[in-house]
Amino acid sequence: MIFALFIKYFFLYLQKPQHIVKMESIGERIKQRRKMLNITQEQLADIAEVGINTLTKIERDEGNPTLKVLLKVLDTLGLEIKIAIKTMNQ
């Protein structure tokens, strides 16, 4: 029984999601939207209440922000992200 569960979870782990957005495209979209709104990185960081270094790293695809930080930036820019969580029944 335990072995069967292990195998099931192992194969779920190996499966790759069919729809995934790379962090680099998120950073680029944040940068494009910020520029479209004619605001600086400093202004966005201040409004979103995140550090300027954090925002800079996100836009350069170097950052690994928490979901909370990413959502603050996206919300400030009027953007959203949809996250689908795969359940065991899928």
Side-chain angles (χ1 to χ4, degrees):
M1 178 71 167
I2 293 175
F3 182 74
L5 284 174
F6 171 78
I7 295 297
K8 181 177 180 180
Y9 286 112
F10 179 74
F11 283 110
L12 284 174
Y13 174 76
L14 292 178
Q15 293 177 356
K16 294 184 179 180
Q18 293 189 8
H19 304 285
I20 189 163
V21 176
K22 296 180 181 178
M23 188 63 197
E24 60 201 44
S25 61
I26 293 173
E28 184 59 34
R29 289 180 191 207
I30 288 171
K31 185 176 183 178
Q32 289 172 355
R33 178 70 171 171
R34 177 182 60 77
K35 287 186 174 189
M36 187 182 88
L37 295 171
N38 293 318
I39 58 175
T40 66
Q41 286 180 326
E42 292 83 7
Q43 291 169 326
L44 177 56
D46 187 46
I47 296 166
E49 299 178 342
V50 300
I52 184 65
N53 292 334
T54 300
L55 180 60
T56 302
K57 287 180 182 180
I58 292 170
E59 286 191 0
R60 290 183 182 168
D61 308 322
E62 298 169 356
N64 189 16
T66 63
L67 186 55
K68 183 178 179 179
V69 168
L70 185 59
L71 290 175
K72 286 170 88 172
V73 173
L74 292 172
D75 187 52
T76 301
L77 293 171
L79 299 172
E80 66 180 19
I81 188 169
K82 294 184 180 182
I83 300 171
I85 299 174
K86 187 174 183 178
T87 63
M88 294 303 298
N89 296 331
Q90 292 180 330

